[in-house]
Every structure is written in C-alpha cells, then in structure tokens.
Amino acid sequence: MDARDRLPVLVAGGGLAGLRAALDLAVAGQEVLLIEAGTRLGGGAAHLAALVQTGQPVQALVAELAQAVAAHPRLTVRFGCRLESVTGAPGELCAVLGQTGEGSTEQIRVAAVILATGCSPFQPGGLDFLAYGVVPDVVTSLSVETMLAADGGVVRPSDGCPPRSVAFIQCVGSRMHQPEERPACSAVCCAVSVRQALALPQARRTLYAMDLRAHVAGTQEALNQAEAQGLTVRYARPHTLAAGPDGRGVTFRFIDQQGTECQDAVDMAVLAVGIGLSAANRAMLDASGVELGRGGFVATDPYAPVATSRPGVFVAGTLGGPGEASLASVQGSAAALEALAAVRVSPPPREPLPVLVLGGGAAGLACSLGLAGCGQRVTLVEASARLGGHPRKHPTVWKGRETKEAVAQMAEAVQSLPGITVMTDARLIAAAQTPQGWTGSLATPLGTQEIAFGAAVLALGSGEARPDEYLLGRDPRVMTQLEFENWRRTHPEPDDTPQTVVFIQCVGSRQRHGFTACARVCCAQALCAAVELKKSRPGAQVAVFYRDITTPGESEDLYTEARRLGVLFFRYDPERAPRVERLGADLAVTGEDILLGRSVRLRPDRLVLAVPVVPVGLAETAALFALPTTGPGFLAPVHPVLLPVDLPRPGLFAAGLCLGPKPLDESVAEAQAAAMRAIVYLAGRS
Amino acid sequence: MEPLELAVASPELQDRLQALDVRSCLGCGACASGCPIPGTPGMEGFDPRVAVRLLAMGREAEAAASPFPWVCTSCGRCSHVCPMGIDLTAVFSLLRGLVPRANVPGTLEKGVASVLETGNTLAIPLEDFLDTLSDIGGELAEEECPGFYVPVDKQGADLLVFLNSKEVFGDFDDLKWWWRIFYNARENWTVPSRNWEAEDWGLFTGNPDVSLVLARRKLDLMRSLGAARLLIPDCGGGSYGCRMGLKTCALQDPSRQVDAVYFYDYLLERIASGRIRLDPTRNAGRTYVWHDACKHGRELERHFGKGYYDEPRAILAACVGQENVVAMDPDRANNYCCGAGGGNWPMPFEKESAAHGRFKVAQLEACRADVVVVGCANCRDQLQKRLPRFYPGRCRYEVKYLWQLVAETMIATPWSQTEIEAAQERSRLQQRHFQAELDGGF
C-alpha cells in the first residue's frame, strides 16, 4: 500500500451532504475525517420541521444517519473544528483547521477534500422596507420552521398567540441585485412556504411571490392542497411593512397585477429568506483558491457537478449552489465517488461481477465512467444503435457547454476504457436475483445473451409528452421544445432564424389532476432557446407565455439574460390560457398582458410548447425487477431525500430522467451518486 | 379592444433604455407597491411597473404622453426596492425628456427658457436683484445685524452662495435666515450678480443638457470669482441637479472639479468650530421631527453613495435637544415624499401632488410633532401651503427650515464698531460699483 492510501479524506461540514459523503466513503473502505464547526451533526436538515418533498418529519432520519456516521470505525468526527484553507496537489493536500473560538490552527495532510459547509440564511435587517427587527411580528421562514419543529406550535412574537392570518413574502435575499448582489434563486423557499402554509390550516394565508416555483418534487401537489384550503397566491411585493394597532401584527400596502391599490393586515408576516455563502466560507474558499461562479457559490461544470476548480477538492450541498435536501444527498455520494477516484493509487481487488448500467445516455455514460474510475468493471447496455443517448432532450447549450459535444466526449471516453463493456442494440428482457447478485438475459442482434452482475444502475432516460393542445401535430409550425431544438440544430444559420417565436410554458404540466407536477426543466430549456434566438437575430420578436418562470438556483441567470435581450414575458392564468388559432395563413397566439390589462396578439413563425418529460418504456424494466413506480410512472427511490438514487431492491440504483425530470448537471450528479452507492453496496457485501 | 400590436423602440432610445437596464424588469411590482400614484384619483392604470412595461413593449410614446412621468415626484421609493436595481427615477426623467417641449406642463419650460436667457427662471433683472439684496439686507442690518450687507461678486470669498429665485422674487424674509447665519459666523461669503439662481429646472423637464449648462455656469463663477468653496444649495432641484451637473462636468473635464460643501456639512462645521453657538432652551416645550427630502437622502445615496440622514438630525438635535425630537415612520431611506418633488410644486398637478402627500399627512399625524423641520424649499411649501388646504384640520404642525431653526436658536455674536464700519464701507463701494455698471447700460 502506498503511503497516500493511508491519508484520510477530509469532509468539511456535518450536514446532510457531508454525512452522506463521509459514510459512503467509510463503507467503501476509506479513512475519513469529518469536521463540523458546530456542536452537532445534521446541519440545516436538523432544523427542518418537515421535508418539503414529502411533508414528513425528517429529524429521526437525519439522527439515524448521524448515528451511523458516529459509529463507523473508519470515520473520525471532530466538532468545533473549521476548515480554514486547503492547498497542495491532489493525493496530498494540506488542510488548515481552526478550532472554533480559538485562534490556534493546525495543519493536516489529507488525500482529498469534500467541502460541504453549506450556506447561511440571508439577514433581512438591511432591507428597511421589510421592517425586520423593527416590527415584532415580522419573522423569517427559519424561525417559523424552528417553531414548527418544536412542540409549541407557531406563535407570533408580539403576544405569543397563534396567528389567525399570515402573509408569506418570497424572495427575500434571493433574485436581487440590490442592495446586495444575490442574483440566484434560493430554490427551496417557495416549497418551504407552501409547506408552512399547509401546516397553519387555521390561519388565513396569503403568499406574495414574484414566481411561485414548484420545481421541488411534491410542491405543486402541496400547493394544490393548500389552495383548496384557502391559500391565496398573489403576484405582488409588499413595500413597507408597519406594525398594526398596539404594535401587534403587520400591515402593508401592495399593488396587485391589475394595478389596484390593496392593503393587507395580518397577525404575522413571514419573510422567506434566501441563502448565501457566509463570510467565513468565502474566506476559506478564497484562501484555498476555489473559484466562485456568477451566483456567488462554488463554481462547477455541468459534466463534473461536484468538482471544484482545485483538483482533489470537491463540493456537495448548498455551498455549490441552492438546491433541495435530496440534491445534498446526491451530491454527497457523487463527491464521495470523485474523492475515491482521486485518492485511488492501486486498484482495489476487482469485484468478480460487473455493475450493469442500463442506458447509454448522459447519466449512463457518467455512471459508467464513475464506476470505471474507481476500478469497477462495467457492462453498459444501450437499447439504441449508439451511445450518447438523447442529448437533444437537453438544451443545445447548458451552462456554457455544448451538450452534444460534451456527451459525445463522454461516449468516446467510455468506449476507450478497458473496464467497460459496451453493448448497443441490446435490451434486458429478464432479471433474477441470485445469492451472488443478479443474472439477466439480454436481447441482442446476435440473439439472447445471459449476463451476471453484482449491481445495476438504471439510467433509462425518458421521453416527451405530446398533448393534443395548441394545434400540436396539426400545424407544422407548432413544435415541442425538443422538436424546436432539433429543428434549430438543422437550421443554424442566422438567416434561418425565425422573426417571431412564441413559447407557451406548462403545456400539460402543473395540472389539478393527472400530471400535477411541475416539469422542472422546461423553463430553463425555453429560455436557453429564447436567448439563442435573440443572440442569433437581435431583432427577432420572442415572447414567452408562462405561469411562473421556474429557473431555480443559478439558472436564474438565464431568465435575467433573456429579459435583458428583450424577450417579452406574459404571465397567464391557467383559467385564461393563451389562444392559438389559424388566422388565414397566419398562426396567431392571442393572450393577455395582465399588467397592462390589454390583450396582445403575435403571429409567430414557430410556436414552441413546453411539454413535460414523461417516462417512456420504464414500466417494462420496472416490472423485470419488480420495482415500484411513482404516480406519473417514474422509478421510486427508497427515500426521496435520504436515499434518492437507491431503489428498493438489493443492488439496484437509478439515475437521471427515469427518476423524474431534472437538469443535466443533476442527472450527472445522480449518475455519479448511483455509481458510488453501487460501490458502497458491493463493498458492504464483500 | 383590439389586441395590442407589439412595437420596437427607435435604436437611439433602445440604447438609452439599455443603458438604464430597463428590460431587466421582473414585473414584480415592488416599485408600484411603494409608489403613492396608485390610488391617486385620476391616475388609475398608472404606476411605475406599467410605465416600464410600456417601454418593454416599445410603446414609449404612450408612456411619455401620459401624465405619469410628470405626476411622478421622482421620490425614488420605487428604485429603493427594485430587486434589479433599475434606476426608475432616471427612466421617468428620460420619459419627460421624450415629450415635445411645447407639451411640457405648466411653466416649467418657460422657466427653463428664461433661465437660459436671463440667468434665472423668473427673469428678474439685475437692477431688481441688486435692489432686493440691498433693501432686504438693509432691513436685516437695521433690525439686528448692524453692518450687514450682501457681498456681490466679491473676489476670493470662502463661500460662493446661490439663491432661491422665489425668495428673491417675493419671499424676502426667507432670505434672512442664511444671512443671519453668515453674519454671526462672520462668513467670508458672496453671491454672484448674474446666474445667481440655485434651482435647476432642467432636472424637472427631463433635460440633462440644461442641467449641464447651469452647472457649467456655477463652475465658471467659482473660477471667475476665485471662490474657495461652493455651497451646495438647499432646494431639491438645486442641490441634486447641481451635484449631477458638477459630476458630469468633472467627468467631462477633470480640471473643472471644484471644492463644494453641502449646506448640512457647512452648518455642522460651523457648529463644531463654535462659530455658530446654539441655545436649545429657546426651543423647549415642543416636539420636532425631521423630514428626509428624497433628493437629500435616498436619491443622493443611490447616485452619490451617501445620503444625508444623520447630519440634519445632528443639527436638529443640537438646536432643540434630542429629548424633543420624534421620528416619522418610515423615515430615512424609506421616507415618503411630501408630494412636491420633481417640480410638482410649480407644476399644474395640484390634486395629484396633494394626493401623493396623503402618506406624509398620515405620517405626521401619527408622530404628533409640533414642528416639521425640512431642508428643501419645495417640501416646505408643500407641507406648509398645499397639504393644509387639501387636508383641513389634519395638518396641525408648523414647518421650519433647518437653517431657520439654526438662525432662531443661534446666540448672537455682535460685531465690533470697527467691523461694522469696515463692512459699511465695503457695502458703499459695492453699491457704487454696480451703480456705475448699471448706468453704463449693462
């Protein structure tokens, strides 16, 4: 064994991401030092009353994970210990640790570092118009969460009484450029406010939002339920919060979308505060030469979503950008995989059986590469004739990277690695569990072939719905987003760029019944296309009809860029959706400009519909493994937050769109996480 | 109604709008929620968000033709909360600039033409100007400041002072507050004989070229008179427009930078150095509140990095004692405008301006101050003259200028006979000089 093998991996931060990374690494055979600046494990998740995804309590589950970490023999936990900087080359990094409350520091050598120190909530005191700290009954979402988690229930500070009316004010310290630069959407606040509203059924509840972003799984359903109970969503921003009579309650004025002057008087106003890096974290990252992105979080690449600019240093959780708790678990496992690959010097004893990866798309490729990078043999099975899957399911360019090119590079790398056996035109037609793992039958052009595998990762992708709406399929100018992206790819010249393009969002998603969820990726995808159009032809008329522009996290940048380029946005009420018809030879879209109270008509050359991502062909594979699926038919993980890529059969994992719609970087992170979970599973068995 | 056809703004306007980042608007409505215009009778359907929306749709002509840009007092409560940081007051000023000059409401454009031609908006001739200074200065000398006169075109003064034309025109007594301060502080000051006006109506008509001309005149006077410092004047258009103009001039030609002192800082300096001594017991028994003028606080902070919130409060506390000071809610950067900003004292939108002031009336009622202390002539007139007319019985306060309060609180420091005689001699020489000039046909 090389000396470097004995160096531990340093995991900084004992929240969900850090715990998951540390435990996965330890079970996989790696020595781990976990440092936590505070006095307990669990991070932000330990404060939560309920998971936003499920509405269920989470503290017992987090405690269970923390116990497993504390009990593992290869894992050392140090409390009150803060990472000050990391320097040096991968494999032998130098970490400077500081003791909380003491000036002394200590240097240690570590093999790799996972940064999972999380974020801090925005302090709203600087926004004078919100009167936080001045009007007693203006509170933050954090304090409501703490009250909900405790037994006393939610009370207002002025008199300790349960509030009979509550206003939730969104985007406090998010999506703003002044007085502080905090451009990113904090990604979870809408979901949190909706859950908090549901938990206060006795109160009259109003949610004041810029956009109600329901991209976190379960949120749209929770919103539907809350609205059925009387929650009102208002697209307005109160300006000056003042104390009510006798200093109790909160009053404010706001102007609704129609321009009418309105007043509200509530017992309590809840500021949905966003997140950002703490000064201490910024100093640590600066001292370590780790670059930040435009949104002010650690910069990553969509195809290496947990790698930082410093080799050997990885990031998981909100330090790398806002995201829900499930993403922290995913990134924790993904960072563990990257760290394991970075510290590996001699190959471990090979597992006699390969890991079967089903699906050669972006997720399947990333997963195979991840497994191979840790010395694990892989059989990659793809149903179509070639690898690369369907990069056209994703925007042409995502976060500055050309999708097709990047996926092609991954495919090339997969084909060049000796540890990966690639089988195209092959389908799994049978699977059975054995004492050693699994056996299965593959239908290939050369006939049926039997395989044995220790674990499997399902990265089966998904397809696009084709609802019979807005003349889709009846007029060649009406296209889905994928069709439009593909059409643009074959017509890339500026002269090909249409003069007028209209996008309609939420076509067949966010329904009251049936497909209730937000389809998550369509807003970013439409905006990518809109930006591309405006750049290619600045004079083009590009309009987006939307319900709530949903660009969580740093993808908010896209929305800002699109507006600055002159893309026009029209919010529509689902009860009054835009009308599409043929007027003579023209395709006409007639909608309403709610802010001006006037109808608008555009005659687009192309009408692009944001249809949801839906499972295609998943049912058969799920049936082969006797796996459960969710309502819309995606694969259901063991736990949506704590074990989001583990499937409820031994040795089976999943990644990418077959678990539900998500942007490319999250698919890749899931693929890496599934690879790590498979390694952990195999290590646990041997 | 026929569906709206979308239009595209002219390239030149596009560039200006682009520079102001108007298109980044999220349509969130925070601006509208803080704007007093919604709820103003006759202004239904107008608010800052609507105006910006019209610009995004290429319908700037529609926005400019509406009363909105004029009724807007450019108080900046909209920009204060804009998450995108759009400088909305600059956008609405740009809209004012798009209006054909013949359609500029009321007397504003006439005033601009007049100031460009005669040196002041009210076209007061030199002779009348000098007579007024002489008469009112003489009154003050007789009443309580023996030896006082207004030094005009004095070379090498420490302080160059500009005047508010409505005071020179008729509100003569208001001239005396500052004069008493200068007298007792033994200030080496002067006013120019021409281009002596503090105001900047270019700011009100949305014409930055005018503001630039007026600022250049002030700079030229600083140079020709060899004055050490320019006293940045009180009134909104004056102080803010003056700063804007000075900033632009300095950007165009760094050698034209002059030493200027804001009147708040000037007063604080003189109080600190003991040249102004105050007796706060004179003001006991009443409560006082400071009204933050938009262009001295919030908008100054936005454009020049520092708002004057603490300085006037320090002066007020020095005059009346901190225990007699109450506060309005909200105040400082989130304060409500009096309703007369952006030229809305002289403009013909009286009802709208008064409606704008409904928030101010409510604030003042709630804080129960006996005296509202202001630092801006337009705020003063609005609070003292217009709001009591529109809200009878609800405006039970007295309005004082901050410098008035200083003058009233100041302990007199009488001049010696030698000082008085020397001043009288200088005054005679000055009169003779101007008499010769006027006789010579100037």
Side-chain angles (χ1 to χ4, degrees):
Chain A
M1 227 187 191
D2 189 286
R4 290 196 284 179
D5 281 342
R6 290 191 297 271
L7 288 180
V9 170
L10 175 68
V11 178
L16 210 47
L19 290 175
R20 174 49 61 203
L23 189 59
D24 279 2
L25 280 168
V27 177
Q30 177 63 44
E31 292 292 329
V32 179
L33 171 62
L34 173 66
I35 59 169
E36 165 57 45
T39 54
R40 47 154 200 83
L41 296 176
H47 291 298
L48 292 180
L51 281 173
V52 290
Q53 282 87 346
T54 59
Q56 298 302 308
V58 67
Q59 283 161 330
L61 294 169
V62 175
E64 208 176 291
L65 179 61
Q67 271 160 22
V69 165
H72 201 284
R74 275 190 290 273
L75 233 159
T76 310
V77 182
R78 280 171 62 179
F79 289 102
C81 183
R82 171 181 290 288
L83 177 63
E84 311 230 317
S85 69
V86 197
T87 48
E92 193 163 349
L93 294 159
C94 172
V96 176
L97 308 182
Q99 207 62 28
T100 305
E102 289 171 33
S104 63
T105 57
E106 153 194 15
Q107 288 194 6
I108 58 163
R109 291 194 310 146
V110 293
V113 175
I114 294 174
L115 304 173
T117 44
C119 274
S120 306
F122 175 69
Q123 299 299 321
L127 304 180
D128 55 0
F129 51 93
L130 296 177
Y132 178 73
V134 177
V135 174
D137 292 329
V138 176
V139 302
T140 66
S141 46
L142 222 67
S143 74
V144 171
E145 201 62 28
T146 308
M147 287 191 270
L148 281 169
D151 292 335
V154 175
V155 295
R156 64 174 183 176
S158 65
D159 59 6
C161 292
R164 290 152 303 166
S165 52
V166 181
F168 295 91
I169 298 171
Q170 302 305 112
C171 296
V172 175
S174 310
R175 302 180 69 186
M176 71 181 198
H177 293 257
Q178 72 142 7
E180 269 178 61
E181 185 72 11
R182 285 174 166 262
C185 158
S186 293
V188 292
C189 334
C190 281
V192 167
S193 292
V194 167
R195 286 287 172 198
Q196 291 182 348
L198 263 184
L200 297 166
Q202 275 80 42
R204 173 176 72 82
R205 292 147 293 169
T206 315
L207 197 151
Y208 293 87
M210 301 211 273
D211 292 285
L212 199 134
R213 296 187 166 172
H215 57 281
V216 176
T219 304
Q220 184 62 42
E221 293 78 2
L223 177 64
N224 291 350
Q225 192 190 339
E227 284 188 308
Q229 288 177 6
L231 171 73
T232 308
V233 176
R234 283 197 173 269
Y235 293 108
R237 278 184 90 65
H239 191 292
T240 296
L241 306 192
D246 306 326
R248 296 199 180 123
V250 186
T251 64
F252 54 86
R253 171 180 182 260
F254 67 94
I255 307 302
D256 70 10
Q257 289 192 101
Q258 284 73 30
T260 313
E261 184 183 32
C262 310
Q263 301 283 343
D264 203 353
V266 292
D267 283 350
M268 191 165 89
V270 182
L271 308 181
V273 288
I275 55 166
L277 298 195
S278 68
N281 270 333
R282 269 201 299 271
M284 178 270 286
L285 295 166
D286 191 42
S288 309
V290 172
E291 283 169 24
L292 301 187
R294 279 201 293 174
F297 300 90
V298 172
T300 54
D301 178 280
Y303 300 94
V306 295
T308 72
S309 61
R310 177 172 275 281
V313 178
F314 306 97
V315 63
T318 51
L319 197 67
E324 56 261 48
S326 55
L327 196 58
S329 297
V330 166
Q331 290 169 341
S333 289
L337 179 89
E338 290 266 48
L340 197 62
V343 304
R344 197 175 64 89
V345 176
S346 48
R350 292 223 163 180
E351 175 72 15
L353 294 176
V355 172
L356 175 66
V357 176
L358 287 179
L365 293 172
C367 182
S368 303
L369 289 172
L371 287 162
C374 292
Q376 174 61 51
R377 253 179 344 114
V378 177
T379 301
L380 173 58
V381 172
E382 162 60 36
S384 76
R386 54 173 195 85
L387 292 183
H390 306 277
R392 55 187 183 279
K393 274 199 201 114
H394 299 287
T396 311
V397 177
W398 180 242
K399 297 192 178 172
R401 292 282 303 271
E402 179 80 36
T403 309
K404 201 175 170 185
E405 205 174 280
V407 175
Q409 274 171 16
M410 284 203 285
E412 218 170 280
V414 159
Q415 264 149 342
S416 70
L417 283 175
I420 305 177
T421 308
V422 178
M423 302 176 75
T424 48
D425 279 323
R427 272 183 320 114
L428 187 73
I429 50 170
Q433 217 181 335
T434 67
Q436 291 76 39
W438 292 81
T439 58
S441 308
L442 293 170
T444 74
L446 305 170
T448 305
Q449 199 176 322
E450 302 301 320
I451 54 161
F453 48 96
V457 177
L458 278 53
L460 298 159
S462 66
E464 213 184 29
R466 282 191 67 83
D468 183 15
E469 288 188 72
Y470 298 118
L471 302 180
L472 181 63
R474 296 164 202 269
D475 187 302
R477 292 167 290 191
V478 183
M479 300 176 152
T480 67
Q481 284 183 339
L482 294 193
E483 287 169 344
F484 180 69
E485 295 249 355
N486 290 336
W487 176 78
R488 278 297 286 160
R489 246 184 225 117
T490 53
H491 299 78
E493 299 306 317
D495 288 350
D496 298 330
T497 309
Q499 168 58 31
T500 306
V501 180
V502 172
F503 293 83
I504 301 179
Q505 301 303 106
C506 292
V507 178
S509 53
R510 300 185 68 192
Q511 308 289 305
R512 289 260 163 215
H513 307 286
F515 197 100
T516 48
C518 162
R520 294 198 75 198
V521 290
C522 349
C523 279
Q525 189 148 354
L527 296 179
C528 281
V531 163
E532 189 275 325
L533 282 166
K534 283 299 265 186
K535 282 184 174 167
S536 157
R537 185 170 178 174
Q541 188 75 264
V542 182
V544 181
F545 286 87
Y546 71 100
R547 287 171 61 185
D548 297 277
I549 291 294
T550 300
T551 43
E554 295 182 285
S555 63
E556 179 71 14
D557 257 9
L558 271 175
Y559 183 28
T560 308
E561 186 182 12
R563 293 196 313 277
R564 286 193 165 136
L565 287 169
V567 176
L568 285 175
F569 289 86
F570 299 94
R571 188 191 299 281
Y572 74 86
D573 185 310
E575 308 294 316
R576 303 180 66 184
R579 199 172 71 240
V580 174
E581 64 207 319
R582 283 201 204 88
L583 290 179
D586 288 351
L587 186 64
V589 180
T590 311
E592 196 195 354
D593 186 303
I594 297 178
L595 300 178
L596 295 181
R598 279 145 85 164
S599 69
V600 286
R601 176 170 295 156
L602 293 107
R603 295 166 190 265
D605 305 308
R606 289 285 180 279
L607 171 62
V608 186
L609 305 180
V611 297
V613 167
V614 289
V616 169
L618 273 186
E620 297 90 72
T621 313
L624 286 183
F625 290 108
L627 287 168
T629 54
T630 62
F634 294 109
L635 295 176
V638 171
H639 190 280
V641 172
L642 284 131
L643 293 168
V645 298
D646 290 37
L647 297 176
R649 297 285 313 274
L652 297 188
F653 306 91
L657 298 177
C658 61
L659 283 170
K662 60 185 57 72
L664 235 171
D665 27 10
E666 287 182 30
S667 272
V668 173
E670 278 184 359
Q672 293 180 331
M676 187 65 199
R677 296 297 299 157
I679 289 168
V680 167
Y681 170 78
L682 295 173
R685 282 186 52 216
S686 58
Chain B
M1 208 185 208
E2 268 299 290
L4 203 64
E5 294 294 331
L6 303 181
V8 179
S10 70
E12 193 258 347
L13 181 64
Q14 288 281 18
D15 289 349
R16 292 171 69 192
L17 294 174
Q18 194 83 348
L20 289 166
D21 200 19
V22 177
R23 296 203 293 205
S24 70
C25 172
L26 280 156
C28 71
C31 53
S33 294
C35 175
I37 291 178
T40 298
M43 291 302 293
E44 293 78 11
F46 292 107
D47 64 47
R49 172 169 56 181
V50 165
V52 167
R53 186 75 183 159
L54 285 171
L55 287 174
M57 313 262 278
R59 306 190 79 81
E60 66 282 349
E62 201 173 312
S66 80
F68 176 81
W70 303 103
V71 169
C72 162
T73 67
S74 57
C75 76
R77 290 189 97 235
C78 46
S79 313
H80 182 56
V81 297
C82 175
M84 297 307 296
I86 303 173
D87 186 359
L88 291 156
T89 53
V91 175
F92 304 144
S93 174
L94 185 147
L95 281 178
R96 286 185 177 195
L98 293 179
V99 172
R101 297 295 88 181
N103 298 349
V104 172
T107 57
L108 288 186
E109 195 56 29
K110 209 176 137 204
V112 164
S114 173
V115 76
L116 290 178
E117 200 188 313
T118 71
N120 67 84
T121 45
L122 296 169
I124 299 168
L126 176 61
E127 192 171 0
D128 295 3
F129 173 67
L130 292 171
D131 282 350
T132 301
L133 297 192
S134 170
D135 292 353
I136 309 302
E139 264 180 45
L140 185 63
E142 245 168 66
E143 286 160 10
E144 54 178 300
C145 301
F148 178 84
Y149 77 104
V150 179
V152 182
D153 286 349
K154 181 178 176 185
Q155 282 291 326
D158 291 336
L159 203 61
L160 178 62
V161 177
F162 292 87
L163 302 177
N164 188 326
S165 53
K166 68 184 166 191
E167 293 175 2
V168 175
F169 185 76
D171 298 340
F172 304 131
D173 285 343
D174 288 334
L175 288 165
K176 293 182 188 166
W177 309 117
W178 274 116
W179 294 357
R180 282 160 68 179
I181 291 170
F182 295 149
Y183 178 86
N184 283 291
R186 289 175 166 72
E187 194 58 62
N188 176 19
W189 67 294
T190 192
V191 298
S193 60
R194 293 166 183 81
N195 297 337
W196 46 261
E197 187 178 72
E199 292 98 300
D200 177 358
W201 280 19
L203 193 73
F204 295 162
T205 62
N207 191 341
D209 296 341
V210 172
S211 298
L212 204 55
V213 168
L214 299 183
R216 281 210 192 102
R217 285 177 175 177
K218 292 186 170 89
L219 288 181
D220 290 344
L221 283 165
M222 282 294 288
R223 188 173 294 180
S224 64
L225 294 174
R229 291 199 295 180
L230 187 156
L231 184 71
I232 296 188
D234 58 279
C235 107
S239 70
Y240 186 78
C242 177
R243 267 172 201 274
M244 275 298 202
L246 293 179
K247 188 174 165 186
T248 315
C249 288
L251 283 175
Q252 287 175 348
D253 178 2
S255 75
R256 309 206 62 176
Q257 209 133 14
V258 296
D259 202 358
V261 59
Y262 204 7
F263 73 90
Y264 295 113
D265 289 327
Y266 169 78
L267 288 174
L268 276 179
E269 269 176 25
R270 289 295 176 258
I271 293 169
S273 69
R275 278 168 73 177
I276 297 174
R277 288 184 300 130
L278 301 166
D279 174 16
T281 57
R282 293 185 198 167
N283 301 312
R286 304 176 83 193
T287 54
Y288 297 78
V289 69
W290 173 247
H291 163 68
D292 291 285
C294 311
K295 289 278 192 280
H296 298 198
R298 177 170 50 234
E299 285 293 279
L300 208 54
E301 186 176 1
R302 162 174 308 284
H303 292 105
F304 295 90
K306 174 180 163 53
Y308 276 70
Y309 309 114
D310 296 324
E311 294 79 358
R313 285 177 171 79
I315 298 167
L316 176 61
C319 287
V320 305
Q322 187 60 50
E323 67 281 6
N324 295 316
V325 177
V326 296
M328 275 187 255
D329 182 28
D331 65 358
R332 298 173 72 94
N334 197 26
N335 188 35
Y336 279 104
C337 174
C338 64
N344 269 286
W345 177 249
M347 256 198 285
F349 297 103
E350 266 231 297
K351 283 204 293 288
E352 290 79 1
S353 163
H356 194 126
R358 68 195 186 276
F359 292 97
K360 184 52 57 186
V361 171
Q363 275 189 295
L364 285 169
E365 273 183 314
C367 82
R368 296 159 179 263
D370 298 315
V371 183
V372 195
V373 184
V374 299
C376 164
N378 291 317
C379 299
R380 204 275 300 253
D381 287 346
Q382 174 84 351
L383 294 175
Q384 183 170 280
K385 299 175 185 167
R386 185 176 285 155
L387 294 181
R389 246 184 330 112
F390 281 84
Y391 302 92
R394 289 182 62 193
C395 301
R396 282 185 277 238
Y397 51 74
E398 190 187 341
V399 187
K400 282 183 196 284
Y401 283 127
L402 184 63
W403 50 94
Q404 174 184 357
L405 193 62
V406 170
E408 289 173 349
T409 314
M410 194 167 50
I411 300 165
T413 49
W415 285 12
S416 68
Q417 197 52 39
T418 330
E419 282 176 306
I420 294 169
E421 279 163 15
Q424 283 167 341
E425 178 55 23
R426 285 197 303 274
S427 168
R428 267 192 297 278
L429 286 172
Q430 177 175 304
Q431 269 185 0
R432 203 175 305 153
H433 165 79
F434 281 107
Q435 196 53 52
E437 197 178 305
L438 288 167
D439 291 345
F442 280 97

